[in-house]
């Protein structure tokens, strides 16, 4: 019997309702959309990291913090390209677990960077590790959708 995360465990039985797959894929992609709201955190995060009040002029500091967003989007594309074959071999469940670990780990490292006032930790945690989450999470629901209706 295959392990729950193995690719073989994702093969559906003939009586499986294939219309359960698209809502799960949409939910996954909606979670990934959180990256586009990062600008909400620019000013408070810059004030926290650089030890300045929110009322101060933080233009230079904000431009430094915005690199986390840029790195995350770069890593989205790179990780989707680099791990595409692994996703095909491993299946969507294992990929989503890896994605979840990168997401939680990246946010924890980024939060630690904010607490320790370390821009490098924020860039590494949210940008690099969190960007890998974005790439894995973006491509993992695609194969189940492609194979949703092989008979049609």
């Amino acid at each position: 019997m295959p392990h729950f995360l193995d690719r073989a465990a994702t093969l559906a039985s003939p009586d499986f309702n294939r219309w359960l797959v698209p809502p799960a894929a949409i939910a996954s992609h909606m979670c990934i959309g959180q990256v586009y709201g990062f600008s909400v955190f620019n000013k408070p995060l810059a004030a926290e990291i650089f030890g300045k009040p929110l009322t101060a002029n933080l233009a230079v500091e904000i431009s430094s913090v915005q690199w986390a967003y840029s790195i995350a989007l770069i890593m989205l594309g790179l990780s989707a390209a680099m791990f595409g074959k692994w996703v095909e071999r491993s299946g969507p469940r294992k990929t989503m677990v890896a994605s979840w670990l990168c997401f939680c780990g990246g946010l924890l490292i980024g939060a630690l960077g904010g607490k320790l006032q370390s821009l490098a930790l924020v860039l590494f945690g949210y940008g690099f590790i969190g960007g890998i989450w974005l790439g894995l999470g973006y491509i993992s629901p695609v194969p189940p959708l492609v194979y949703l209706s092989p008979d049609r």
Side-chain angles (χ1 to χ4, degrees):
M1 182 169 161
H3 188 271
F4 174 74
L5 296 178
D6 289 342
R7 182 171 176 74
T10 63
L11 298 176
S13 63
D15 61 334
F16 178 75
N17 182 359
R18 63 181 80 181
W19 293 107
L20 295 174
V21 176
I26 290 168
S28 173
H29 280 208
M30 287 177 69
C31 291
I32 291 164
Q34 68 80 28
V35 72
Y36 302 112
F38 185 78
S39 63
V40 171
F41 302 108
N42 284 340
K43 191 169 184 178
L45 191 55
E48 182 68 28
I49 290 173
F50 295 101
K52 294 185 176 180
L54 276 172
T55 56
N57 183 4
L58 296 168
V60 173
E61 291 83 357
I62 289 173
S63 66
S64 298
V65 169
Q66 287 174 338
W67 274 102
Y69 173 80
S70 298
I71 293 170
L73 287 185
I74 289 168
M75 290 309 299
L76 183 159
L78 289 176
S79 64
M82 289 188 311
F83 293 116
K85 291 291 183 189
W86 178 77
V87 170
E88 281 291 322
R89 282 191 316 270
S90 300
R93 290 181 182 177
K94 198 175 284 185
T95 305
M96 285 306 291
V97 168
S99 173
W100 173 78
L101 290 171
C102 288
F103 174 62
C104 293
L107 285 181
L108 287 173
I109 293 169
L112 181 65
K115 178 73 173 161
L116 299 177
Q117 296 182 327
S118 171
L119 179 61
L121 275 178
V122 171
L123 296 178
F124 177 72
Y126 188 86
F128 186 77
I129 302 295
I132 293 172
W133 158 68
L134 292 168
L136 289 176
Y138 190 78
I139 62 174
S140 62
V142 173
L145 288 173
V146 169
Y147 302 125
L148 179 66
S149 296
D151 56 336
R152 295 194 169 96

